[in-house]
Amino acid sequence: MDGNGRWAQARNLKRADGHRAGAEAIRPVIERLGEYGVGVLTLFGFSTENWGRPRHEVEAILRLGGEFIDRYLDDFDRHGVQLRHLGELDALPRGLRARVRRAVERTRRNDRMIVNFAFNYGGRADIVAAVRRLIAEGTTPEEITEEAIASRLATGDLPEPDLLIRTGGERRLSNFLLWQSAYAEYYFTETFWPDFNLACVDEALAEFSKRQRRFGLVPGEAADGEGPHRGAGDGEPA
Ligand code: FPP
């Protein structure tokens, strides 16, 4: 959800105001994606690198995370949204931690749509944690496979992302779902996140629907060997 700071600067506002506007943009996007039948959405709210920002900005983002849960938990629960958290929860302030746990617990049986909040998340840290888990389980070198690693990531039980949207004009992955995005389609837009409205969602999905996804194969040719690692792979965003 990139571009909150520049959105604010362009209006002579504080960066924290940009994050607040960014938080406001989330719910309509979730609803629209739900209408499209998207099953899983992951929002990158705070990276492990973001701790290096000025303290007041970090505090503002963490506070907004908590406020967001307070404001929308009932609403999401009513609409069958299952909320999950990706990343290291223990490093978050106690109040936010408790809210996240409550939100995850309360919505865990909801099955209309899964919304992952990547908050204090880093793709590399995710992979490191998965490898540590494998070692702790006494896995032998032969048992370390792509599937073994993938299933121990924070998204272990979920399909790989089909579409990755980055707002704010940057063309980087910035440590987001590194492993999981191997075959994702990337969509970059100059639009700052607070301005990412329903028309922007529609445009991103329209562009996605035009992409030809090959997963490293030759279209129309039968595969003789073992297939590559796939996501949902049916052309529908997951
Ligand atoms: C990146 O934009 C955005 C963030 C680091 C924070 C995103 C946080 C929110 C949208 C609100 C709180 C989160 C939730 C989950 C409710 P940037 O600050 O890097 O923008 P810039 O590139 O223009 O400086």
Side-chain angles (χ1 to χ4, degrees), residues 118-132:
F119 215 86
N120 195 23
Y121 175 85
R124 288 181 179 172
D126 196 3
I127 296 169
V128 169
V131 172
R132 283 190 177 150

mmCIF file with all atom_site columns, all heavy atoms in Angstrom, residues 118-132:
data_model
loop_
_atom_site.group_PDB
_atom_site.id
_atom_site.type_symbol
_atom_site.label_atom_id
_atom_site.label_alt_id
_atom_site.label_comp_id
_atom_site.label_asym_id
_atom_site.label_entity_id
_atom_site.label_seq_id
_atom_site.pdbx_PDB_ins_code
_atom_site.Cartn_x
_atom_site.Cartn_y
_atom_site.Cartn_z
_atom_site.occupancy
_atom_site.B_iso_or_equiv
_atom_site.pdbx_formal_charge
_atom_site.auth_seq_id
_atom_site.auth_comp_id
_atom_site.auth_asym_id
_atom_site.auth_atom_id
_atom_site.pdbx_PDB_model_num
ATOM 1   N N   . ALA A 1 118 ? -0.312 -8.260  6.392  1.00 0.00 ? 118 ALA A N   1
ATOM 2   C CA  . ALA A 1 118 ? 1.123  -8.439  6.596  1.00 0.00 ? 118 ALA A CA  1
ATOM 3   C C   . ALA A 1 118 ? 1.593  -7.234  7.396  1.00 0.00 ? 118 ALA A C   1
ATOM 4   O O   . ALA A 1 118 ? 1.685  -6.118  6.879  1.00 0.00 ? 118 ALA A O   1
ATOM 5   C CB  . ALA A 1 118 ? 1.837  -8.523  5.253  1.00 0.00 ? 118 ALA A CB  1
ATOM 6   N N   . PHE A 1 119 ? 1.829  -7.456  8.649  1.00 0.00 ? 119 PHE A N   1
ATOM 7   C CA  . PHE A 1 119 ? 2.132  -6.365  9.576  1.00 0.00 ? 119 PHE A CA  1
ATOM 8   C C   . PHE A 1 119 ? 3.332  -6.801  10.404 1.00 0.00 ? 119 PHE A C   1
ATOM 9   O O   . PHE A 1 119 ? 3.254  -7.760  11.156 1.00 0.00 ? 119 PHE A O   1
ATOM 10  C CB  . PHE A 1 119 ? 0.895  -6.120  10.460 1.00 0.00 ? 119 PHE A CB  1
ATOM 11  C CG  . PHE A 1 119 ? 0.702  -4.675  10.798 1.00 0.00 ? 119 PHE A CG  1
ATOM 12  C CD1 . PHE A 1 119 ? 0.011  -3.823  9.944  1.00 0.00 ? 119 PHE A CD1 1
ATOM 13  C CD2 . PHE A 1 119 ? 1.210  -4.159  11.974 1.00 0.00 ? 119 PHE A CD2 1
ATOM 14  C CE1 . PHE A 1 119 ? -0.165 -2.488  10.254 1.00 0.00 ? 119 PHE A CE1 1
ATOM 15  C CE2 . PHE A 1 119 ? 1.034  -2.824  12.289 1.00 0.00 ? 119 PHE A CE2 1
ATOM 16  C CZ  . PHE A 1 119 ? 0.348  -1.980  11.428 1.00 0.00 ? 119 PHE A CZ  1
ATOM 17  N N   . ASN A 1 120 ? 4.425  -6.110  10.247 1.00 0.00 ? 120 ASN A N   1
ATOM 18  C CA  . ASN A 1 120 ? 5.725  -6.574  10.735 1.00 0.00 ? 120 ASN A CA  1
ATOM 19  C C   . ASN A 1 120 ? 6.095  -7.863  10.004 1.00 0.00 ? 120 ASN A C   1
ATOM 20  O O   . ASN A 1 120 ? 6.499  -8.857  10.596 1.00 0.00 ? 120 ASN A O   1
ATOM 21  C CB  . ASN A 1 120 ? 5.748  -6.782  12.250 1.00 0.00 ? 120 ASN A CB  1
ATOM 22  C CG  . ASN A 1 120 ? 7.165  -6.912  12.774 1.00 0.00 ? 120 ASN A CG  1
ATOM 23  O OD1 . ASN A 1 120 ? 8.116  -6.456  12.147 1.00 0.00 ? 120 ASN A OD1 1
ATOM 24  N ND2 . ASN A 1 120 ? 7.324  -7.558  13.914 1.00 0.00 ? 120 ASN A ND2 1
ATOM 25  N N   . TYR A 1 121 ? 5.926  -7.798  8.706  1.00 0.00 ? 121 TYR A N   1
ATOM 26  C CA  . TYR A 1 121 ? 6.197  -8.947  7.839  1.00 0.00 ? 121 TYR A CA  1
ATOM 27  C C   . TYR A 1 121 ? 7.410  -8.656  6.953  1.00 0.00 ? 121 TYR A C   1
ATOM 28  O O   . TYR A 1 121 ? 7.607  -7.525  6.501  1.00 0.00 ? 121 TYR A O   1
ATOM 29  C CB  . TYR A 1 121 ? 4.979  -9.234  6.939  1.00 0.00 ? 121 TYR A CB  1
ATOM 30  C CG  . TYR A 1 121 ? 5.253  -10.343 5.943  1.00 0.00 ? 121 TYR A CG  1
ATOM 31  C CD1 . TYR A 1 121 ? 5.087  -11.674 6.313  1.00 0.00 ? 121 TYR A CD1 1
ATOM 32  C CD2 . TYR A 1 121 ? 5.725  -10.057 4.656  1.00 0.00 ? 121 TYR A CD2 1
ATOM 33  C CE1 . TYR A 1 121 ? 5.374  -12.692 5.415  1.00 0.00 ? 121 TYR A CE1 1
ATOM 34  C CE2 . TYR A 1 121 ? 6.004  -11.069 3.761  1.00 0.00 ? 121 TYR A CE2 1
ATOM 35  C CZ  . TYR A 1 121 ? 5.832  -12.384 4.143  1.00 0.00 ? 121 TYR A CZ  1
ATOM 36  O OH  . TYR A 1 121 ? 6.131  -13.393 3.262  1.00 0.00 ? 121 TYR A OH  1
ATOM 37  N N   . GLY A 1 122 ? 8.184  -9.701  6.685  1.00 0.00 ? 122 GLY A N   1
ATOM 38  C CA  . GLY A 1 122 ? 9.259  -9.626  5.703  1.00 0.00 ? 122 GLY A CA  1
ATOM 39  C C   . GLY A 1 122 ? 9.341  -10.968 4.996  1.00 0.00 ? 122 GLY A C   1
ATOM 40  O O   . GLY A 1 122 ? 9.260  -12.022 5.634  1.00 0.00 ? 122 GLY A O   1
ATOM 41  N N   . GLY A 1 123 ? 9.480  -10.943 3.678  1.00 0.00 ? 123 GLY A N   1
ATOM 42  C CA  . GLY A 1 123 ? 9.519  -12.188 2.907  1.00 0.00 ? 123 GLY A CA  1
ATOM 43  C C   . GLY A 1 123 ? 10.704 -13.064 3.276  1.00 0.00 ? 123 GLY A C   1
ATOM 44  O O   . GLY A 1 123 ? 10.584 -14.290 3.386  1.00 0.00 ? 123 GLY A O   1
ATOM 45  N N   . ARG A 1 124 ? 11.855 -12.428 3.477  1.00 0.00 ? 124 ARG A N   1
ATOM 46  C CA  . ARG A 1 124 ? 13.033 -13.233 3.837  1.00 0.00 ? 124 ARG A CA  1
ATOM 47  C C   . ARG A 1 124 ? 12.855 -13.849 5.219  1.00 0.00 ? 124 ARG A C   1
ATOM 48  O O   . ARG A 1 124 ? 13.183 -15.018 5.430  1.00 0.00 ? 124 ARG A O   1
ATOM 49  C CB  . ARG A 1 124 ? 14.279 -12.363 3.798  1.00 0.00 ? 124 ARG A CB  1
ATOM 50  C CG  . ARG A 1 124 ? 14.688 -12.013 2.389  1.00 0.00 ? 124 ARG A CG  1
ATOM 51  C CD  . ARG A 1 124 ? 15.935 -11.172 2.405  1.00 0.00 ? 124 ARG A CD  1
ATOM 52  N NE  . ARG A 1 124 ? 16.350 -10.853 1.047  1.00 0.00 ? 124 ARG A NE  1
ATOM 53  C CZ  . ARG A 1 124 ? 17.330 -10.007 0.761  1.00 0.00 ? 124 ARG A CZ  1
ATOM 54  N NH1 . ARG A 1 124 ? 17.987 -9.402  1.727  1.00 0.00 ? 124 ARG A NH1 1
ATOM 55  N NH2 . ARG A 1 124 ? 17.655 -9.776  -0.502 1.00 0.00 ? 124 ARG A NH2 1
ATOM 56  N N   . ALA A 1 125 ? 12.354 -13.058 6.153  1.00 0.00 ? 125 ALA A N   1
ATOM 57  C CA  . ALA A 1 125 ? 12.129 -13.575 7.512  1.00 0.00 ? 125 ALA A CA  1
ATOM 58  C C   . ALA A 1 125 ? 11.148 -14.748 7.463  1.00 0.00 ? 125 ALA A C   1
ATOM 59  O O   . ALA A 1 125 ? 11.275 -15.717 8.235  1.00 0.00 ? 125 ALA A O   1
ATOM 60  C CB  . ALA A 1 125 ? 11.601 -12.474 8.421  1.00 0.00 ? 125 ALA A CB  1
ATOM 61  N N   . ASP A 1 126 ? 10.175 -14.668 6.568  1.00 0.00 ? 126 ASP A N   1
ATOM 62  C CA  . ASP A 1 126 ? 9.183  -15.740 6.404  1.00 0.00 ? 126 ASP A CA  1
ATOM 63  C C   . ASP A 1 126 ? 9.887  -17.041 5.976  1.00 0.00 ? 126 ASP A C   1
ATOM 64  O O   . ASP A 1 126 ? 9.630  -18.125 6.526  1.00 0.00 ? 126 ASP A O   1
ATOM 65  C CB  . ASP A 1 126 ? 8.159  -15.297 5.339  1.00 0.00 ? 126 ASP A CB  1
ATOM 66  C CG  . ASP A 1 126 ? 6.879  -16.113 5.336  1.00 0.00 ? 126 ASP A CG  1
ATOM 67  O OD1 . ASP A 1 126 ? 6.729  -17.005 6.191  1.00 0.00 ? 126 ASP A OD1 1
ATOM 68  O OD2 . ASP A 1 126 ? 6.026  -15.841 4.465  1.00 0.00 ? 126 ASP A OD2 1
ATOM 69  N N   . ILE A 1 127 ? 10.809 -16.907 5.021  1.00 0.00 ? 127 ILE A N   1
ATOM 70  C CA  . ILE A 1 127 ? 11.531 -18.086 4.532  1.00 0.00 ? 127 ILE A CA  1
ATOM 71  C C   . ILE A 1 127 ? 12.459 -18.627 5.633  1.00 0.00 ? 127 ILE A C   1
ATOM 72  O O   . ILE A 1 127 ? 12.526 -19.845 5.867  1.00 0.00 ? 127 ILE A O   1
ATOM 73  C CB  . ILE A 1 127 ? 12.326 -17.746 3.247  1.00 0.00 ? 127 ILE A CB  1
ATOM 74  C CG1 . ILE A 1 127 ? 11.357 -17.373 2.112  1.00 0.00 ? 127 ILE A CG1 1
ATOM 75  C CG2 . ILE A 1 127 ? 13.201 -18.941 2.827  1.00 0.00 ? 127 ILE A CG2 1
ATOM 76  C CD1 . ILE A 1 127 ? 12.016 -16.771 0.881  1.00 0.00 ? 127 ILE A CD1 1
ATOM 77  N N   . VAL A 1 128 ? 13.133 -17.740 6.327  1.00 0.00 ? 128 VAL A N   1
ATOM 78  C CA  . VAL A 1 128 ? 14.023 -18.169 7.414  1.00 0.00 ? 128 VAL A CA  1
ATOM 79  C C   . VAL A 1 128 ? 13.211 -18.938 8.472  1.00 0.00 ? 128 VAL A C   1
ATOM 80  O O   . VAL A 1 128 ? 13.620 -20.019 8.935  1.00 0.00 ? 128 VAL A O   1
ATOM 81  C CB  . VAL A 1 128 ? 14.734 -16.953 8.062  1.00 0.00 ? 128 VAL A CB  1
ATOM 82  C CG1 . VAL A 1 128 ? 15.434 -17.355 9.357  1.00 0.00 ? 128 VAL A CG1 1
ATOM 83  C CG2 . VAL A 1 128 ? 15.740 -16.348 7.089  1.00 0.00 ? 128 VAL A CG2 1
ATOM 84  N N   . ALA A 1 129 ? 12.039 -18.412 8.827  1.00 0.00 ? 129 ALA A N   1
ATOM 85  C CA  . ALA A 1 129 ? 11.208 -19.081 9.844  1.00 0.00 ? 129 ALA A CA  1
ATOM 86  C C   . ALA A 1 129 ? 10.782 -20.465 9.362  1.00 0.00 ? 129 ALA A C   1
ATOM 87  O O   . ALA A 1 129 ? 10.758 -21.430 10.148 1.00 0.00 ? 129 ALA A O   1
ATOM 88  C CB  . ALA A 1 129 ? 9.989  -18.223 10.163 1.00 0.00 ? 129 ALA A CB  1
ATOM 89  N N   . ALA A 1 130 ? 10.477 -20.583 8.068  1.00 0.00 ? 130 ALA A N   1
ATOM 90  C CA  . ALA A 1 130 ? 10.063 -21.885 7.521  1.00 0.00 ? 130 ALA A CA  1
ATOM 91  C C   . ALA A 1 130 ? 11.214 -22.889 7.606  1.00 0.00 ? 130 ALA A C   1
ATOM 92  O O   . ALA A 1 130 ? 11.020 -24.050 7.994  1.00 0.00 ? 130 ALA A O   1
ATOM 93  C CB  . ALA A 1 130 ? 9.611  -21.711 6.071  1.00 0.00 ? 130 ALA A CB  1
ATOM 94  N N   . VAL A 1 131 ? 12.411 -22.436 7.266  1.00 0.00 ? 131 VAL A N   1
ATOM 95  C CA  . VAL A 1 131 ? 13.577 -23.330 7.315  1.00 0.00 ? 131 VAL A CA  1
ATOM 96  C C   . VAL A 1 131 ? 13.863 -23.737 8.761  1.00 0.00 ? 131 VAL A C   1
ATOM 97  O O   . VAL A 1 131 ? 14.152 -24.901 9.051  1.00 0.00 ? 131 VAL A O   1
ATOM 98  C CB  . VAL A 1 131 ? 14.807 -22.644 6.661  1.00 0.00 ? 131 VAL A CB  1
ATOM 99  C CG1 . VAL A 1 131 ? 16.070 -23.463 6.876  1.00 0.00 ? 131 VAL A CG1 1
ATOM 100 C CG2 . VAL A 1 131 ? 14.559 -22.412 5.172  1.00 0.00 ? 131 VAL A CG2 1
ATOM 101 N N   . ARG A 1 132 ? 13.736 -22.780 9.662  1.00 0.00 ? 132 ARG A N   1
ATOM 102 C CA  . ARG A 1 132 ? 13.945 -23.113 11.084 1.00 0.00 ? 132 ARG A CA  1
ATOM 103 C C   . ARG A 1 132 ? 12.947 -24.171 11.551 1.00 0.00 ? 132 ARG A C   1
ATOM 104 O O   . ARG A 1 132 ? 13.288 -25.077 12.301 1.00 0.00 ? 132 ARG A O   1
ATOM 105 C CB  . ARG A 1 132 ? 13.782 -21.859 11.950 1.00 0.00 ? 132 ARG A CB  1
ATOM 106 C CG  . ARG A 1 132 ? 14.979 -20.977 11.876 1.00 0.00 ? 132 ARG A CG  1
ATOM 107 C CD  . ARG A 1 132 ? 14.912 -19.884 12.915 1.00 0.00 ? 132 ARG A CD  1
ATOM 108 N NE  . ARG A 1 132 ? 16.125 -19.094 12.842 1.00 0.00 ? 132 ARG A NE  1
ATOM 109 C CZ  . ARG A 1 132 ? 16.194 -17.813 13.152 1.00 0.00 ? 132 ARG A CZ  1
ATOM 110 N NH1 . ARG A 1 132 ? 15.131 -17.175 13.590 1.00 0.00 ? 132 ARG A NH1 1
ATOM 111 N NH2 . ARG A 1 132 ? 17.326 -17.164 13.063 1.00 0.00 ? 132 ARG A NH2 1
#
